[in-house]
Amino acid sequence: MAHRAPPGLLLAAAALAGCHYAGEPTSACFVEPPAGTTQSSIFRVSGAGTCGTGGASVTTVPTPDRTFLATIRFKMRGARPSTTYVVQRAPELGDVPLTADSVCQRAQGLPPWNTGEPLFLTFLDPNTTLPRTLVTDASGDGALEFEHRSTAIPAGTRFDVQMRLVDDVSLPTTELRSGCMTVLVQ
C-alpha cells in the first residue's frame, strides 16, 4: 500500500526547495534594483556580456497640476562593454481599455497591443529631443537617472510598464528587459 503525504507537507517541501540559506554567497551577477517606489530586476534577452543583469525603478512624485512626474533609474552589471543602450518603455496607457494586471501585454505584442503601433517607446530628453541612453563602461556596468513627465496622465492612474535597453532601436543585437511593473501616478 502506498503512503500519501498530507497536502500541507507537500506544499511546505515545495516552498523550501527553492530557498537558500543566509550564509550562501550572492551571485556576482546579482544587482539590487535602484531605490524607488516600483522596482524590477533587469535581465538579458539577447546579446553579449558577462551578466547582463540589473535593475530599474520608477518613483512617481506629486505635482501641483496632478499629472505624471517620475524619477526613473537604471543600474546594469556585466552587460555588453562600452555600449550605448537606448532606453525604452512599453506603457499600457491610452485608448486601450486595460486595467493594470501585472502582465504587460504591450511589451509582448499581445492583444490589444498587436495593432502595428510600436510596442516600445523611446524616452526622449525634453531639452534636446535626443533619445535617453545608458552607456556601459569597459566592464559592462552603467547607471542612469532622469525625470520623465507627461501632463496627459492624471494622478490616480494605475498602469503597467515594462522597460528595455537596446543597442539599436531598429535591429537590436543586445536587448535587456525589466519585469512588468505596475505604477500608480501620485
Side-chain angles (χ1 to χ4, degrees), residues 69-139:
L69 173 63
T71 301
I72 299 175
R73 296 178 181 99
F74 292 89
K75 185 169 35 172
M76 292 305 306
R77 177 172 297 144
R80 198 167 91 196
S82 305
T83 301
T84 299
Y85 288 97
V86 176
V87 182
Q88 298 184 309
R89 81 261 187 216
E92 295 187 349
L93 290 162
D95 298 331
V96 178
L98 274 182
T99 57
D101 60 3
S102 301
V103 176
C104 285
Q105 292 92 338
R106 182 177 186 156
Q108 299 174 55
L110 298 174
W113 298 101
N114 56 350
T115 60
E117 357 175 336
L119 301 180
F120 285 88
L121 307 172
T122 299
F123 282 106
L124 299 176
D125 182 320
N127 298 319
T128 65
T129 68
L130 296 173
R132 297 269 187 193
T133 58
L134 182 150
V135 180
T136 58
D137 63 17
S139 299

Short mmCIF file of all heavy atoms in Angstrom, two decimals, residues 69-139:
data_model
loop_
_atom_site.label_atom_id
_atom_site.label_comp_id
_atom_site.label_asym_id
_atom_site.label_seq_id
_atom_site.Cartn_x
_atom_site.Cartn_y
_atom_site.Cartn_z
N LEU A 69 4.72 62.69 -13.07
CA LEU A 69 6.13 63.05 -13.00
C LEU A 69 6.81 61.93 -12.22
O LEU A 69 6.34 61.54 -11.14
CB LEU A 69 6.35 64.38 -12.28
CG LEU A 69 7.82 64.77 -12.01
CD1 LEU A 69 8.58 64.96 -13.33
CD2 LEU A 69 7.89 66.03 -11.17
N ALA A 70 7.89 61.40 -12.79
CA ALA A 70 8.56 60.28 -12.13
C ALA A 70 10.07 60.39 -12.28
O ALA A 70 10.57 60.90 -13.28
CB ALA A 70 8.10 58.95 -12.72
N THR A 71 10.77 59.91 -11.26
CA THR A 71 12.21 59.70 -11.35
C THR A 71 12.40 58.25 -11.76
O THR A 71 11.87 57.33 -11.13
CB THR A 71 12.90 59.96 -9.99
OG1 THR A 71 12.63 61.30 -9.61
CG2 THR A 71 14.39 59.72 -10.09
N ILE A 72 13.14 58.05 -12.84
CA ILE A 72 13.36 56.72 -13.39
C ILE A 72 14.85 56.41 -13.29
O ILE A 72 15.68 57.24 -13.67
CB ILE A 72 12.85 56.64 -14.84
CG1 ILE A 72 11.34 56.93 -14.82
CG2 ILE A 72 13.15 55.27 -15.45
CD1 ILE A 72 10.69 57.01 -16.17
N ARG A 73 15.15 55.23 -12.75
CA ARG A 73 16.55 54.84 -12.53
C ARG A 73 16.82 53.47 -13.14
O ARG A 73 15.98 52.58 -13.07
CB ARG A 73 16.85 54.78 -11.04
CG ARG A 73 16.75 56.10 -10.33
CD ARG A 73 17.03 55.93 -8.82
NE ARG A 73 16.91 57.20 -8.15
CZ ARG A 73 15.84 57.59 -7.47
NH1 ARG A 73 14.79 56.79 -7.37
NH2 ARG A 73 15.82 58.77 -6.88
N PHE A 74 18.03 53.34 -13.68
CA PHE A 74 18.52 52.06 -14.21
C PHE A 74 19.91 51.81 -13.67
O PHE A 74 20.70 52.74 -13.50
CB PHE A 74 18.62 52.10 -15.75
CG PHE A 74 17.30 52.18 -16.44
CD1 PHE A 74 16.73 53.40 -16.72
CD2 PHE A 74 16.64 51.03 -16.83
CE1 PHE A 74 15.51 53.49 -17.35
CE2 PHE A 74 15.42 51.10 -17.47
CZ PHE A 74 14.84 52.34 -17.74
N LYS A 75 20.22 50.55 -13.42
CA LYS A 75 21.56 50.14 -12.99
C LYS A 75 21.85 48.80 -13.67
O LYS A 75 21.04 47.89 -13.60
CB LYS A 75 21.59 50.01 -11.47
CG LYS A 75 22.96 49.71 -10.92
CD LYS A 75 23.10 49.84 -9.40
CE LYS A 75 21.93 49.45 -8.58
NZ LYS A 75 22.19 49.41 -7.14
N MET A 76 23.01 48.70 -14.33
CA MET A 76 23.37 47.48 -15.05
C MET A 76 24.72 46.94 -14.59
O MET A 76 25.60 47.71 -14.21
CB MET A 76 23.47 47.77 -16.56
CG MET A 76 22.15 48.10 -17.22
SD MET A 76 20.86 46.87 -16.96
CE MET A 76 21.66 45.38 -17.51
N ARG A 77 24.86 45.62 -14.68
CA ARG A 77 26.14 44.96 -14.36
C ARG A 77 26.42 43.90 -15.43
O ARG A 77 25.57 43.09 -15.75
CB ARG A 77 26.09 44.29 -13.00
CG ARG A 77 27.41 43.53 -12.72
CD ARG A 77 27.53 42.99 -11.33
NE ARG A 77 27.54 44.09 -10.38
CZ ARG A 77 26.98 44.03 -9.18
NH1 ARG A 77 26.37 42.96 -8.77
NH2 ARG A 77 27.03 45.07 -8.37
N GLY A 78 27.62 43.95 -15.95
CA GLY A 78 28.06 42.91 -16.86
C GLY A 78 27.30 42.84 -18.17
O GLY A 78 27.20 41.78 -18.76
N ALA A 79 26.76 43.97 -18.62
CA ALA A 79 26.14 44.00 -19.95
C ALA A 79 27.26 44.08 -20.98
O ALA A 79 28.44 43.95 -20.64
CB ALA A 79 25.19 45.19 -20.05
N ARG A 80 26.93 44.29 -22.22
CA ARG A 80 27.97 44.39 -23.24
C ARG A 80 28.84 45.61 -22.94
O ARG A 80 28.34 46.71 -22.74
CB ARG A 80 27.34 44.51 -24.63
CG ARG A 80 28.33 44.17 -25.73
CD ARG A 80 27.66 43.99 -27.05
NE ARG A 80 27.66 45.29 -27.70
CZ ARG A 80 26.91 45.62 -28.72
NH1 ARG A 80 26.05 44.76 -29.20
NH2 ARG A 80 26.98 46.81 -29.25
N PRO A 81 30.15 45.45 -22.88
CA PRO A 81 31.06 46.54 -22.53
C PRO A 81 31.05 47.67 -23.55
O PRO A 81 30.85 47.45 -24.74
CB PRO A 81 32.45 45.87 -22.50
CG PRO A 81 32.18 44.41 -22.36
CD PRO A 81 30.87 44.17 -23.03
N SER A 82 31.27 48.89 -23.04
CA SER A 82 31.44 50.09 -23.87
C SER A 82 30.35 50.20 -24.93
O SER A 82 30.62 50.40 -26.11
CB SER A 82 32.82 50.09 -24.52
OG SER A 82 33.82 49.96 -23.53
N THR A 83 29.11 50.09 -24.48
CA THR A 83 27.96 50.10 -25.39
C THR A 83 26.98 51.19 -24.98
O THR A 83 26.75 51.42 -23.79
CB THR A 83 27.25 48.73 -25.37
OG1 THR A 83 28.20 47.74 -25.76
CG2 THR A 83 26.06 48.69 -26.29
N THR A 84 26.39 51.84 -25.97
CA THR A 84 25.34 52.83 -25.73
C THR A 84 23.99 52.14 -25.94
O THR A 84 23.71 51.64 -27.04
CB THR A 84 25.48 54.03 -26.69
OG1 THR A 84 26.74 54.65 -26.45
CG2 THR A 84 24.36 55.03 -26.46
N TYR A 85 23.20 52.09 -24.89
CA TYR A 85 21.88 51.49 -24.93
C TYR A 85 20.82 52.58 -24.99
O TYR A 85 20.86 53.53 -24.21
CB TYR A 85 21.62 50.63 -23.69
CG TYR A 85 22.41 49.35 -23.66
CD1 TYR A 85 23.59 49.27 -22.96
CD2 TYR A 85 21.95 48.23 -24.34
CE1 TYR A 85 24.33 48.09 -22.92
CE2 TYR A 85 22.68 47.05 -24.32
CZ TYR A 85 23.86 46.99 -23.61
OH TYR A 85 24.57 45.82 -23.58
N VAL A 86 19.84 52.44 -25.89
CA VAL A 86 18.69 53.33 -25.94
C VAL A 86 17.69 52.82 -24.91
O VAL A 86 17.41 51.62 -24.83
CB VAL A 86 18.07 53.35 -27.36
CG1 VAL A 86 16.81 54.19 -27.38
CG2 VAL A 86 19.09 53.85 -28.37
N VAL A 87 17.13 53.74 -24.11
CA VAL A 87 16.23 53.39 -23.02
C VAL A 87 14.79 53.55 -23.50
O VAL A 87 14.40 54.62 -23.96
CB VAL A 87 16.51 54.29 -21.79
CG1 VAL A 87 15.61 53.91 -20.64
CG2 VAL A 87 17.97 54.18 -21.38
N GLN A 88 14.02 52.47 -23.37
CA GLN A 88 12.64 52.46 -23.86
C GLN A 88 11.68 51.93 -22.80
O GLN A 88 12.09 51.32 -21.82
CB GLN A 88 12.53 51.59 -25.11
CG GLN A 88 13.37 52.08 -26.27
CD GLN A 88 13.15 51.25 -27.50
OE1 GLN A 88 13.22 50.02 -27.47
NE2 GLN A 88 12.85 51.92 -28.61
N ARG A 89 10.39 52.15 -23.07
CA ARG A 89 9.34 51.62 -22.20
C ARG A 89 8.16 51.20 -23.04
O ARG A 89 7.96 51.70 -24.15
CB ARG A 89 8.91 52.63 -21.15
CG ARG A 89 7.91 53.68 -21.62
CD ARG A 89 8.59 54.95 -21.95
NE ARG A 89 7.68 56.04 -22.25
CZ ARG A 89 7.95 56.95 -23.15
NH1 ARG A 89 9.05 56.89 -23.88
NH2 ARG A 89 7.12 57.96 -23.37
N ALA A 90 7.37 50.24 -22.50
CA ALA A 90 6.14 49.78 -23.13
C ALA A 90 5.01 50.07 -22.14
O ALA A 90 4.60 49.20 -21.38
CB ALA A 90 6.22 48.30 -23.47
N PRO A 91 4.51 51.32 -22.13
CA PRO A 91 3.46 51.67 -21.18
C PRO A 91 2.09 51.23 -21.69
O PRO A 91 1.81 51.31 -22.88
CB PRO A 91 3.54 53.20 -21.13
CG PRO A 91 3.98 53.58 -22.51
CD PRO A 91 4.90 52.46 -22.96
N GLU A 92 1.27 50.76 -20.80
CA GLU A 92 -0.09 50.37 -21.18
C GLU A 92 -1.04 51.48 -20.78
O GLU A 92 -1.71 51.43 -19.75
CB GLU A 92 -0.44 49.03 -20.55
CG GLU A 92 0.44 47.93 -21.11
CD GLU A 92 0.07 46.55 -20.67
OE1 GLU A 92 -0.76 46.38 -19.75
OE2 GLU A 92 0.63 45.60 -21.25
N LEU A 93 -1.07 52.50 -21.64
CA LEU A 93 -1.89 53.69 -21.44
C LEU A 93 -2.56 54.05 -22.75
O LEU A 93 -2.14 53.59 -23.81
CB LEU A 93 -1.01 54.88 -21.02
CG LEU A 93 -0.40 54.81 -19.64
CD1 LEU A 93 0.77 55.78 -19.54
CD2 LEU A 93 -1.45 55.14 -18.61
N GLY A 94 -3.54 54.92 -22.68
CA GLY A 94 -4.17 55.42 -23.91
C GLY A 94 -5.59 54.96 -24.03
O GLY A 94 -6.29 54.77 -23.04
N ASP A 95 -6.01 54.77 -25.27
CA ASP A 95 -7.40 54.42 -25.56
C ASP A 95 -7.71 52.95 -25.34
O ASP A 95 -8.86 52.55 -25.39
CB ASP A 95 -7.74 54.79 -27.01
CG ASP A 95 -7.61 56.29 -27.25
OD1 ASP A 95 -7.81 57.06 -26.29
OD2 ASP A 95 -7.27 56.68 -28.39
N VAL A 96 -6.70 52.14 -25.14
CA VAL A 96 -6.91 50.71 -24.96
C VAL A 96 -7.49 50.45 -23.58
O VAL A 96 -6.92 50.86 -22.57
CB VAL A 96 -5.58 49.93 -25.15
CG1 VAL A 96 -5.78 48.46 -24.91
CG2 VAL A 96 -5.03 50.20 -26.54
N PRO A 97 -8.64 49.78 -23.51
CA PRO A 97 -9.29 49.55 -22.20
C PRO A 97 -8.67 48.40 -21.42
O PRO A 97 -9.16 47.29 -21.43
CB PRO A 97 -10.74 49.24 -22.59
CG PRO A 97 -10.63 48.62 -23.95
CD PRO A 97 -9.44 49.28 -24.61
N LEU A 98 -7.54 48.66 -20.78
CA LEU A 98 -6.87 47.65 -19.95
C LEU A 98 -6.82 48.13 -18.52
O LEU A 98 -6.74 49.32 -18.26
CB LEU A 98 -5.43 47.45 -20.41
CG LEU A 98 -5.18 46.46 -21.53
CD1 LEU A 98 -3.69 46.38 -21.80
CD2 LEU A 98 -5.71 45.10 -21.22
N THR A 99 -6.83 47.18 -17.62
CA THR A 99 -6.56 47.52 -16.23
C THR A 99 -5.15 47.05 -15.92
O THR A 99 -4.63 46.17 -16.59
CB THR A 99 -7.57 46.82 -15.29
OG1 THR A 99 -7.48 45.42 -15.51
CG2 THR A 99 -8.98 47.30 -15.54
N ALA A 100 -4.55 47.64 -14.92
CA ALA A 100 -3.21 47.22 -14.52
C ALA A 100 -3.32 45.80 -13.96
O ALA A 100 -3.90 45.59 -12.90
CB ALA A 100 -2.66 48.18 -13.48
N ASP A 101 -2.79 44.83 -14.70
CA ASP A 101 -2.91 43.43 -14.32
C ASP A 101 -1.56 42.74 -14.12
O ASP A 101 -1.49 41.53 -13.97
CB ASP A 101 -3.73 42.66 -15.35
CG ASP A 101 -3.13 42.69 -16.74
OD1 ASP A 101 -2.02 43.26 -16.91
OD2 ASP A 101 -3.75 42.14 -17.67
N SER A 102 -0.46 43.51 -14.17
CA SER A 102 0.90 43.00 -13.98
C SER A 102 1.30 41.96 -15.02
O SER A 102 2.12 41.10 -14.74
CB SER A 102 1.06 42.42 -12.58
OG SER A 102 0.80 43.41 -11.61
N VAL A 103 0.76 42.07 -16.24
CA VAL A 103 1.10 41.14 -17.30
C VAL A 103 1.95 41.81 -18.39
O VAL A 103 2.81 41.18 -18.98
CB VAL A 103 -0.16 40.50 -17.93
CG1 VAL A 103 0.19 39.60 -19.10
CG2 VAL A 103 -0.94 39.73 -16.88
N CYS A 104 1.75 43.08 -18.66
CA CYS A 104 2.48 43.82 -19.70
C CYS A 104 2.29 43.21 -21.08
O CYS A 104 3.23 42.79 -21.75
CB CYS A 104 3.96 43.95 -19.34
SG CYS A 104 4.24 45.17 -18.03
N GLN A 105 1.03 43.18 -21.53
CA GLN A 105 0.70 42.65 -22.84
C GLN A 105 1.37 43.44 -23.97
O GLN A 105 1.77 42.86 -24.99
CB GLN A 105 -0.83 42.67 -23.07
CG GLN A 105 -1.60 41.71 -22.20
CD GLN A 105 -2.07 42.32 -20.89
OE1 GLN A 105 -1.54 43.31 -20.39
NE2 GLN A 105 -3.08 41.71 -20.30
N ARG A 106 1.48 44.75 -23.82
CA ARG A 106 2.07 45.57 -24.88
C ARG A 106 3.50 45.11 -25.20
O ARG A 106 3.87 44.96 -26.36
CB ARG A 106 2.06 47.04 -24.50
CG ARG A 106 2.62 47.92 -25.60
CD ARG A 106 2.53 49.39 -25.24
NE ARG A 106 2.93 50.21 -26.38
CZ ARG A 106 2.55 51.45 -26.57
NH1 ARG A 106 1.77 52.04 -25.69
NH2 ARG A 106 2.96 52.12 -27.62
N ALA A 107 4.32 44.92 -24.17
CA ALA A 107 5.72 44.52 -24.38
C ALA A 107 5.82 43.17 -25.08
O ALA A 107 6.80 42.89 -25.76
CB ALA A 107 6.45 44.47 -23.05
N GLN A 108 4.81 42.36 -24.93
CA GLN A 108 4.80 41.02 -25.53
C GLN A 108 4.08 40.99 -26.89
O GLN A 108 4.02 39.95 -27.53
CB GLN A 108 4.13 40.03 -24.58
CG GLN A 108 4.84 39.91 -23.25
CD GLN A 108 4.07 39.04 -22.29
OE1 GLN A 108 3.74 37.90 -22.61
NE2 GLN A 108 3.75 39.56 -21.13
N GLY A 109 3.49 42.14 -27.28
CA GLY A 109 2.76 42.19 -28.55
C GLY A 109 1.45 41.43 -28.52
O GLY A 109 0.95 40.97 -29.54
N LEU A 110 0.86 41.31 -27.33
CA LEU A 110 -0.40 40.59 -27.17
C LEU A 110 -1.58 41.55 -27.31
O LEU A 110 -1.45 42.75 -27.04
CB LEU A 110 -0.44 39.91 -25.81
CG LEU A 110 0.65 38.86 -25.56
CD1 LEU A 110 0.60 38.36 -24.11
CD2 LEU A 110 0.50 37.70 -26.53
N PRO A 111 -2.76 41.03 -27.68
CA PRO A 111 -3.94 41.89 -27.78
C PRO A 111 -4.18 42.61 -26.46
O PRO A 111 -3.93 42.03 -25.40
CB PRO A 111 -5.08 40.91 -28.07
CG PRO A 111 -4.42 39.68 -28.61
CD PRO A 111 -3.06 39.64 -27.98
N PRO A 112 -4.62 43.82 -26.54
CA PRO A 112 -4.99 44.61 -27.72
C PRO A 112 -3.83 45.41 -28.31
O PRO A 112 -4.04 46.33 -29.09
CB PRO A 112 -6.06 45.54 -27.18
CG PRO A 112 -5.61 45.81 -25.78
CD PRO A 112 -4.97 44.53 -25.31
N TRP A 113 -2.60 45.09 -27.96
CA TRP A 113 -1.44 45.88 -28.39
C TRP A 113 -0.77 45.33 -29.64
O TRP A 113 0.36 45.65 -29.93
CB TRP A 113 -0.41 45.95 -27.26
CG TRP A 113 -0.96 46.63 -26.06
CD1 TRP A 113 -1.43 46.02 -24.94
CD2 TRP A 113 -1.16 48.02 -25.87
NE1 TRP A 113 -1.89 46.95 -24.06
CE2 TRP A 113 -1.74 48.20 -24.60
CE3 TRP A 113 -0.90 49.15 -26.65
CZ2 TRP A 113 -2.06 49.44 -24.09
CZ3 TRP A 113 -1.23 50.39 -26.13
CH2 TRP A 113 -1.80 50.52 -24.87
N ASN A 114 -1.43 44.50 -30.40
CA ASN A 114 -0.82 43.93 -31.60
C ASN A 114 -1.39 44.58 -32.86
O ASN A 114 -1.66 43.92 -33.84
CB ASN A 114 -1.00 42.41 -31.62
CG ASN A 114 -2.45 41.99 -31.52
OD1 ASN A 114 -3.32 42.81 -31.26
ND2 ASN A 114 -2.71 40.72 -31.73
N THR A 115 -1.56 45.88 -32.83
CA THR A 115 -2.20 46.61 -33.92
C THR A 115 -1.21 47.25 -34.88
O THR A 115 -1.61 47.99 -35.76
CB THR A 115 -3.09 47.72 -33.35
OG1 THR A 115 -2.26 48.60 -32.59
CG2 THR A 115 -4.19 47.15 -32.47
N GLY A 116 0.06 47.02 -34.72
CA GLY A 116 1.05 47.62 -35.61
C GLY A 116 1.72 48.85 -35.03
O GLY A 116 2.68 49.34 -35.59
N GLU A 117 1.20 49.39 -33.89
CA GLU A 117 1.93 50.50 -33.26
C GLU A 117 3.18 49.95 -32.60
O GLU A 117 3.25 48.78 -32.30
CB GLU A 117 1.16 51.26 -32.17
CG GLU A 117 -0.17 50.96 -31.85
CD GLU A 117 -0.74 51.74 -30.66
OE1 GLU A 117 -0.05 52.24 -29.75
OE2 GLU A 117 -1.94 51.82 -30.66
N PRO A 118 4.16 50.82 -32.38
CA PRO A 118 5.38 50.33 -31.72
C PRO A 118 5.06 49.78 -30.32
O PRO A 118 4.26 50.35 -29.60
CB PRO A 118 6.25 51.58 -31.60
CG PRO A 118 5.64 52.61 -32.46
CD PRO A 118 4.22 52.23 -32.68
N LEU A 119 5.68 48.66 -30.00
CA LEU A 119 5.48 48.08 -28.67
C LEU A 119 6.22 48.90 -27.62
O LEU A 119 5.71 49.15 -26.54
CB LEU A 119 5.96 46.63 -28.65
CG LEU A 119 5.28 45.68 -29.64
CD1 LEU A 119 5.85 44.28 -29.51
CD2 LEU A 119 3.78 45.68 -29.44
N PHE A 120 7.45 49.32 -27.95
CA PHE A 120 8.27 50.08 -27.02
C PHE A 120 8.44 51.50 -27.56
O PHE A 120 8.62 51.70 -28.76
CB PHE A 120 9.65 49.43 -26.83
CG PHE A 120 9.60 48.21 -25.96
CD1 PHE A 120 9.35 46.96 -26.50
CD2 PHE A 120 9.79 48.32 -24.59
CE1 PHE A 120 9.30 45.84 -25.70
CE2 PHE A 120 9.74 47.20 -23.78
CZ PHE A 120 9.49 45.96 -24.33
N LEU A 121 8.40 52.46 -26.65
CA LEU A 121 8.60 53.88 -26.98
C LEU A 121 9.91 54.33 -26.37
O LEU A 121 10.22 53.99 -25.22
CB LEU A 121 7.45 54.71 -26.41
CG LEU A 121 6.03 54.25 -26.79
CD1 LEU A 121 4.99 55.04 -26.02
CD2 LEU A 121 5.82 54.35 -28.29
N THR A 122 10.66 55.11 -27.11
CA THR A 122 11.94 55.60 -26.62
C THR A 122 11.74 56.81 -25.73
O THR A 122 10.97 57.72 -26.06
CB THR A 122 12.85 55.98 -27.82
OG1 THR A 122 13.06 54.80 -28.61
CG2 THR A 122 14.18 56.53 -27.36
N PHE A 123 12.40 56.81 -24.57
CA PHE A 123 12.41 58.00 -23.72
C PHE A 123 13.24 59.08 -24.42
O PHE A 123 14.37 58.80 -24.86
CB PHE A 123 13.06 57.70 -22.36
CG PHE A 123 12.20 56.96 -21.39
CD1 PHE A 123 12.43 55.62 -21.14
CD2 PHE A 123 11.17 57.61 -20.71
CE1 PHE A 123 11.66 54.93 -20.22
CE2 PHE A 123 10.39 56.92 -19.79
CZ PHE A 123 10.63 55.59 -19.55
N LEU A 124 12.71 60.28 -24.52
CA LEU A 124 13.44 61.40 -25.13
C LEU A 124 13.78 62.42 -24.07
O LEU A 124 12.99 62.68 -23.16
CB LEU A 124 12.61 62.07 -26.23
CG LEU A 124 12.20 61.18 -27.40
CD1 LEU A 124 11.30 61.96 -28.36
CD2 LEU A 124 13.42 60.63 -28.12
N ASP A 125 14.95 63.02 -24.20
CA ASP A 125 15.34 64.12 -23.32
C ASP A 125 14.56 65.35 -23.80
O ASP A 125 14.69 65.75 -24.96
CB ASP A 125 16.85 64.36 -23.44
CG ASP A 125 17.33 65.45 -22.52
OD1 ASP A 125 16.64 66.48 -22.37
OD2 ASP A 125 18.43 65.29 -21.95
N PRO A 126 13.73 65.96 -22.94
CA PRO A 126 12.91 67.09 -23.39
C PRO A 126 13.73 68.32 -23.79
O PRO A 126 13.25 69.15 -24.56
CB PRO A 126 12.01 67.40 -22.18
CG PRO A 126 12.72 66.81 -21.02
CD PRO A 126 13.52 65.65 -21.53
N ASN A 127 14.95 68.44 -23.29
CA ASN A 127 15.78 69.60 -23.63
C ASN A 127 16.45 69.47 -24.99
O ASN A 127 16.69 70.46 -25.67
CB ASN A 127 16.86 69.82 -22.56
CG ASN A 127 16.23 70.12 -21.21
OD1 ASN A 127 15.25 70.85 -21.13
ND2 ASN A 127 16.77 69.51 -20.17
N THR A 128 16.77 68.24 -25.39
CA THR A 128 17.49 68.04 -26.65
C THR A 128 16.68 67.27 -27.68
O THR A 128 17.06 67.24 -28.84
CB THR A 128 18.79 67.25 -26.40
OG1 THR A 128 18.45 65.94 -25.95
CG2 THR A 128 19.68 67.95 -25.39
N THR A 129 15.60 66.63 -27.26
CA THR A 129 14.77 65.70 -28.05
C THR A 129 15.55 64.48 -28.55
O THR A 129 15.07 63.75 -29.40
CB THR A 129 14.05 66.40 -29.23
OG1 THR A 129 15.01 66.81 -30.20
CG2 THR A 129 13.19 67.55 -28.75
N LEU A 130 16.73 64.25 -28.00
CA LEU A 130 17.51 63.06 -28.32
C LEU A 130 17.09 61.91 -27.42
O LEU A 130 16.62 62.13 -26.30
CB LEU A 130 19.01 63.34 -28.15
CG LEU A 130 19.61 64.38 -29.09
CD1 LEU A 130 21.05 64.68 -28.69
CD2 LEU A 130 19.52 63.91 -30.53
N PRO A 131 17.28 60.67 -27.89
CA PRO A 131 16.93 59.53 -27.05
C PRO A 131 17.76 59.49 -25.76
O PRO A 131 18.94 59.84 -25.76
CB PRO A 131 17.29 58.32 -27.92
CG PRO A 131 17.30 58.83 -29.31
CD PRO A 131 17.73 60.26 -29.21
N ARG A 132 17.11 59.06 -24.67
CA ARG A 132 17.83 58.81 -23.42
C ARG A 132 18.67 57.56 -23.62
O ARG A 132 18.20 56.57 -24.20
CB ARG A 132 16.87 58.57 -22.27
CG ARG A 132 15.98 59.73 -21.93
CD ARG A 132 16.62 60.59 -20.90
NE ARG A 132 15.68 61.62 -20.47
CZ ARG A 132 16.03 62.64 -19.76
NH1 ARG A 132 17.28 62.79 -19.38
NH2 ARG A 132 15.15 63.54 -19.40
N THR A 133 19.91 57.60 -23.14
CA THR A 133 20.80 56.46 -23.31
C THR A 133 21.53 56.13 -22.02
O THR A 133 21.75 57.01 -21.18
CB THR A 133 21.84 56.70 -24.42
OG1 THR A 133 22.60 57.86 -24.10
CG2 THR A 133 21.17 56.86 -25.78
N LEU A 134 21.87 54.88 -21.87
CA LEU A 134 22.71 54.40 -20.79
C LEU A 134 23.97 53.85 -21.46
O LEU A 134 23.88 53.02 -22.36
CB LEU A 134 22.00 53.30 -20.00
CG LEU A 134 22.74 52.73 -18.80
CD1 LEU A 134 21.75 52.28 -17.74
CD2 LEU A 134 23.65 51.57 -19.16
N VAL A 135 25.13 54.33 -21.03
CA VAL A 135 26.41 53.90 -21.61
C VAL A 135 27.13 53.03 -20.59
O VAL A 135 27.31 53.43 -19.43
CB VAL A 135 27.27 55.12 -21.99
CG1 VAL A 135 28.61 54.67 -22.58
CG2 VAL A 135 26.52 56.02 -22.97
N THR A 136 27.53 51.84 -21.03
CA THR A 136 28.27 50.95 -20.14
C THR A 136 29.77 51.21 -20.25
O THR A 136 30.27 51.66 -21.28
CB THR A 136 27.99 49.47 -20.46
OG1 THR A 136 28.35 49.20 -21.81
CG2 THR A 136 26.54 49.12 -20.21
N ASP A 137 30.49 50.91 -19.16
CA ASP A 137 31.94 51.07 -19.15
C ASP A 137 32.61 49.81 -19.71
O ASP A 137 31.93 48.91 -20.23
CB ASP A 137 32.43 51.41 -17.74
CG ASP A 137 32.16 50.32 -16.71
OD1 ASP A 137 31.89 49.15 -17.09
OD2 ASP A 137 32.25 50.62 -15.51
N ALA A 138 33.90 49.71 -19.57
CA ALA A 138 34.66 48.58 -20.11
C ALA A 138 34.28 47.25 -19.45
O ALA A 138 34.53 46.18 -20.00
CB ALA A 138 36.16 48.83 -19.96
N SER A 139 33.65 47.30 -18.27
CA SER A 139 33.19 46.08 -17.59
C SER A 139 31.73 45.75 -17.92
O SER A 139 31.22 44.73 -17.47
CB SER A 139 33.32 46.24 -16.08
OG SER A 139 34.66 46.46 -15.72
#
